[in-house]
Amino acid sequence: GENVEQHPSTLSVQEGDSAVIKCTYSDSASNYFPWYKQELGKGPQLIIDIRSNVGEKKDQRIAVTLNKTAKHFSLHITETQPEDSAVYFCAASTNSGGSNYKLTFGKGTLLTVNP
Amino acid sequence: DADVTQTPRNRITKTGKRIMLECSQTKGHDRMYWYRQDPGLGLRLIYYSFDVKDINKGEISDGYSVSRQAQAKFSLSLESAIPNQTALYFCATSAHDQMRETQYFGPGTRLLVL
């Protein structure tokens, strides 16, 4: 089955700096890669996703890049703010029966943005 | 997400007890999931269901069972709780969509098995 590795497990940055979280996956058939943010005491929430036919996607201060050849994808957060502090999970999924319902998650990265 | 609710939010039980965690959703989604979150291990899928007649095991289903009572309700049971089932449990829902498969998570149930 799919295996997703996520690094680093913890990341501390100063407010205004950039943060990068990296993930690798093992199944070359994976074609959908979402990122979830989990704030303290809450469930994870999708913040951005990318499909394998796209190399990069951006949404305001958040961007995701995908390298299919190397089987890795990354989350980039620019101009970090204290409210970006959370646990971030990457995930990978293959298309099964016409949808990407089965997500394999990385172990998570605890991001702390220091004011 | 307030559209996905879980009860109870916190539960303490003893080894050997049977307990049930409940999940309800008002999003109208057909797909529902139960995950377990452990520190340093991320989210792992326990069971998932595509409709009331469709139940599937995830990667860590041993020791758990589920019931899909209606499209909006999906319950997780621990038949005989053991301490290593102490974890944070999340219910999630999604709609069948070929463009994306966003999963919407409930707030979680924190379970402690003594």
Side-chain angles (χ1 to χ4, degrees), chain B residues 60-103:
Chain B
I60 54 164
S61 59
D62 287 348
Y64 302 95
S65 62
V66 291
S67 173
R68 186 82 182 264
Q69 302 95 323
Q71 187 199 32
K73 296 184 181 295
F74 193 35
S75 300
L76 176 72
S77 293
L78 284 65
E79 300 302 326
S80 179
I82 56 177
N84 76 0
Q85 291 179 312
T86 293
L88 185 54
Y89 291 85
F90 286 103
C91 172
T93 74
S94 71
H96 179 34
D97 183 339
Q98 292 189 17
M99 295 305 295
R100 71 189 325 186
E101 191 72 37
T102 303
Q103 294 192 11

Side-chain angles (χ1 to χ4, degrees), chain A residues 55-82:
Chain A
E56 184 174 358
K57 185 176 179 180
K58 195 172 183 179
D59 183 3
Q60 299 182 348
R61 297 185 297 106
I62 294 174
V64 57
T65 59
L66 172 65
N67 183 326
K68 286 172 53 180
T69 303
K71 289 191 281 189
H72 67 68
F73 55 113
S74 301
L75 178 71
H76 304 254
I77 306 174
T78 59
E79 301 173 18
T80 54
Q81 301 168 4

Side-chain angles (χ1 to χ4, degrees), chain A residues 32 36 38 41-46 48-49 51 57 87 89 95 97-108, chain B residues 9 31 33 35 37 40-43 45 48 50 57 88 90 94 96-107:
Chain A
Y32 174 63
Y36 283 79
Q38 184 181 21
K42 298 184 178 181
Q45 183 175 11
L46 179 75
I48 194 167
D49 56 11
R51 289 200 172 271
K57 185 176 179 180
V87 177
F89 292 100
N95 188 293
S99 70
N100 290 95
Y101 66 89
K102 203 166 186 181
L103 301 178
T104 300
F105 286 88
K107 291 179 170 52
Chain B
R9 293 295 312 277
R31 300 182 172 188
Y33 311 79
Y35 289 92
Q37 183 178 17
L41 293 180
L43 293 153
L45 182 63
Y48 60 100
F50 284 179
K57 292 182 178 180
L88 185 54
F90 286 103
S94 71
H96 179 34
D97 183 339
Q98 292 189 17
M99 295 305 295
R100 71 189 325 186
E101 191 72 37
T102 303
Q103 294 192 11
Y104 297 86
F105 286 79

Side-chain angles (χ1 to χ4, degrees), chain A residues 13-68:
Chain A
V13 299
Q14 289 299 122
E15 183 176 357
D17 287 350
S18 295
V20 180
I21 301 170
K22 299 181 179 182
C23 290
T24 60
Y25 61 98
S26 61
D27 190 345
S28 57
S30 289
N31 63 345
Y32 174 63
F33 307 92
W35 286 87
Y36 283 79
K37 176 184 180 182
Q38 184 181 21
E39 297 177 345
L40 193 62
K42 298 184 178 181
Q45 183 175 11
L46 179 75
I47 54 171
I48 194 167
D49 56 11
I50 191 168
R51 289 200 172 271
S52 58
N53 58 347
V54 175
E56 184 174 358
K57 185 176 179 180
K58 195 172 183 179
D59 183 3
Q60 299 182 348
R61 297 185 297 106
I62 294 174
V64 57
T65 59
L66 172 65
N67 183 326
K68 286 172 53 180

